[in-house]
Amino acid sequence: MTDTGGASATTSGTTGGATNGNRTNDEVWIVGATGRVGRRVAARLAARGLTVVPVGRSRERMAAAGAEAGLPADAKVVVADSAERIAEEVVRGRPRVVVNTMGDYATTAPLIARACMSGGGHYVDQANDVGAVEGLLALHDEAERAGSVLVTGAGFGVLATEAVVAKLCEERPAPHRVRVDSVASVAVEAGALGTALATGIVDALVAGGRRYENGRAVPARLGAEPRRLAFPDGTSAKSAGVASGELVAAHAVSAAPYVTATSSLAPTNPLLRALLPLLGRLLTVPALRRRAVARLGRVTAKAAPRPREHSWGHAVVEWADGTRREGWLRAGEGMDFTTEVTVTVTELLAGGAGAPGAWTPAAALGADLATTAGGTFVLD
């Protein structure tokens, strides 16, 4: 295998929102600026000279987030207590780019993205569940007409595997079968899990598993086909089948009729895997879902270092003629990589990169976006 890295992200065209009659200003709004990713994104964008505006429920917390990001004491903040109110403020304020880190993307992303499109602005989030990713991609035609670029899955989740598939399929016909595996190595921050993460966990349980057969998405058992992955650096980790944004992106970028996805976050314990279908059905009851999200969001985690030095995105691509290619993306701590992906995408969109439409990250800005964000390809 060979390592490749350090290339610049490519672009798919030129956006219309930044130049269409100067409809937008030069601001980058960070929704959820007090969260782990939101704080880091705000600080790094501010350090790169962009005009950052924290957005959230509490003026005091937004001001504190701004101070942590290095913003002046009198810097602008936007106070709004719901996705609907945030969307109203976006319509009025017309920022150049809105970065959504508040979670519950299946609900919040369409509202905020459409608000961005009303003024030709652009939108970025870190969604990685099937419903949210597919929901944003469904806005493609609207975004084209508005001259807006919408990017979903701008993080380790989605890009780390999508970029490998794109690399392996370069200058090749559509493959017959693709498998992707996502294994993030994440340091745990002390504190409550929070609503965004809790919502993602509960929704994954409700969604169950999924795969593509003959080009169609079909249900599968969550935690199916557990396996132990051996990484190029000699370490290993378990993963199992899951319905995820990685699955959607791998299918879109490869056009393969058969696609599966696994994640190290999916359960591999046999007893737990056996109980998951029942638990998923129970959580379809709205009252039980709300209670589960609330309780899980209040769970307090202890600080813990990342379990491995590297995070890994992996793909195996097979063609009908028997050709098989395999590749990896090596990254650092998973949340750091997610932050860099979001920052890089946001900076590119603010500068006019990308073609109007709704995209996953590599589809919008090229597979080398992963190396610009700090990853390294290890390709067969």
Side-chain angles (χ1 to χ4, degrees):
M1 291 188 174
T2 57
D3 286 15
T4 64
S8 297
T10 58
T11 65
S12 305
T14 302
T15 65
T19 58
N20 189 354
N22 292 319
R23 289 184 293 168
T24 61
N25 56 44
D26 65 350
E27 295 172 351
V28 175
W29 288 16
I30 312 297
V31 178
T34 61
R36 181 176 180 181
V37 173
R39 296 195 311 269
R40 296 180 179 190
V41 169
R44 295 185 193 184
L45 287 173
R48 296 184 186 188
L50 278 76
T51 304
V52 172
V53 177
V55 182
R57 296 180 178 181
S58 163
R59 182 173 298 278
E60 290 74 20
R61 293 185 68 194
M62 292 305 104
E68 184 177 339
L71 306 183
D74 59 349
K76 177 179 177 179
V77 301
V78 173
V79 180
D81 59 3
S82 67
E84 291 80 5
R85 291 289 302 277
I86 291 167
E88 292 171 2
E89 294 295 336
V90 169
V91 171
R92 280 194 288 268
R94 296 189 173 188
R96 179 72 52 84
V97 187
V98 175
V99 181
N100 179 8
T101 72
M102 73 185 297
D104 194 11
Y105 295 112
T107 300
T108 65
L111 285 168
I112 298 173
R114 282 197 166 101
C116 293
M117 288 189 282
S118 72
H122 313 306
Y123 171 89
V124 182
D125 70 33
Q126 301 81 36
N128 192 24
D129 61 281
V130 168
V133 171
E134 289 185 335
L136 195 79
L137 296 181
L139 302 179
H140 182 80
D141 291 346
E142 290 181 51
E144 276 193 317
R145 290 192 295 269
S148 296
V149 185
L150 316 180
V151 179
T152 186
F156 180 86
V158 178
L159 179 61
T161 55
E162 177 196 25
V164 179
V165 175
K167 280 289 188 182
L168 296 177
C169 292
E170 280 180 350
E171 300 181 3
R172 297 276 304 178
H176 179 67
R177 189 179 301 274
V178 171
R179 190 189 89 225
V180 294
D181 307 293
S182 175
V183 183
S185 181
V186 177
V188 177
E189 267 192 355
L193 293 185
T195 300
L197 179 56
T199 300
I201 293 170
V202 170
D203 286 350
L205 292 172
V206 172
R210 188 173 176 183
R211 64 180 182 270
Y212 285 92
E213 291 186 355
N214 290 316
R216 298 182 61 186
V218 298
R221 178 183 286 272
L222 179 62
E225 300 182 29
R227 66 185 76 233
R228 179 169 286 278
L229 296 167
F231 306 128
D233 65 356
T235 61
S236 67
K238 291 181 179 180
S239 71
V242 68
S244 65
E246 285 103 346
L247 179 75
V248 176
H251 178 254
V253 76
S254 69
Y258 293 89
V259 184
T260 58
T262 79
S263 169
S264 60
L265 298 178
T268 57
N269 178 277
L271 178 59
L272 182 56
R273 288 171 55 231
L275 294 173
L276 287 175
L278 174 60
L279 181 58
R281 285 194 295 272
L282 289 173
L283 292 175
T284 60
V285 179
L288 293 179
R289 179 187 179 277
R290 288 193 297 270
R291 184 176 298 178
V293 169
R295 286 196 172 188
L296 188 59
R298 291 194 295 268
V299 170
T300 301
K302 294 182 179 179
R306 57 185 174 184
R308 292 169 302 279
E309 181 181 1
H310 301 300
S311 297
W312 294 96
H314 176 237
V316 177
V317 181
E318 302 175 12
W319 283 264
D321 64 1
T323 302
R324 181 182 186 275
R325 297 193 69 194
E326 181 177 12
W328 303 81
L329 182 82
R330 183 179 66 233
E333 199 273 342
M335 295 301 287
D336 282 345
F337 185 76
T338 290
T339 299
E340 281 304 315
V341 173
T342 301
V343 168
T344 303
V345 170
T346 302
E347 189 173 28
L348 287 168
L349 297 191
W359 314 93
T360 49
L365 298 162
D368 286 333
L369 173 67
T371 56
T372 304
T376 300
F377 288 112
V378 184
L379 303 177
D380 185 359

